[in-house]
Amino acid sequence: MKQLCFIDLHQAREVLSEMGIELSSRQMKRAAEADAKGRRKLPFFVDPIDGKLKIEKGTLQKIYMELHVEATKNLRGMFNKSSN
């Protein structure tokens, strides 16, 4: 079974930076803030022990990789249409 690794906002920002995604502290805080319906842009949750926002590292990386794959698919589709 894969070992889960839960990280806080600062660590999440560092993980994204290692992937080449530079975000400010404010941008990370906005992604973790709940909207009026309690939903967040990224799946952060409040740790019941220390009360800090946390996210699973692998989940964060997976979200960005899936978005990258989807963007690549959309680009390929555009090139295929223009070459016909």
Side-chain angles (χ1 to χ4, degrees), residues 32-68:
E33 289 174 348
D35 64 12
K37 295 181 180 179
R39 296 176 299 190
R40 301 177 193 280
K41 291 180 184 176
L42 293 172
F44 281 91
F45 64 94
V46 178
D47 186 307
I49 297 171
D50 66 12
K52 294 181 180 180
L53 287 171
K54 302 278 176 98
I55 190 170
E56 202 281 315
K57 181 179 177 180
T59 300
L60 179 64
Q61 292 169 322
K62 182 180 174 186
I63 288 168
Y64 274 84
M65 292 309 299
E66 286 175 357
L67 290 171
H68 171 70

Side-chain angles (χ1 to χ4, degrees), residues 13-54:
R13 189 170 164 226
E14 288 177 0
V15 167
L16 292 175
S17 179
E18 290 169 4
M19 295 172 64
I21 302 162
E22 298 292 334
L23 299 175
S24 69
S25 295
R26 180 66 188 133
Q27 287 172 311
M28 282 303 300
K29 286 180 184 178
R30 283 191 5 234
E33 289 174 348
D35 64 12
K37 295 181 180 179
R39 296 176 299 190
R40 301 177 193 280
K41 291 180 184 176
L42 293 172
F44 281 91
F45 64 94
V46 178
D47 186 307
I49 297 171
D50 66 12
K52 294 181 180 180
L53 287 171
K54 302 278 176 98

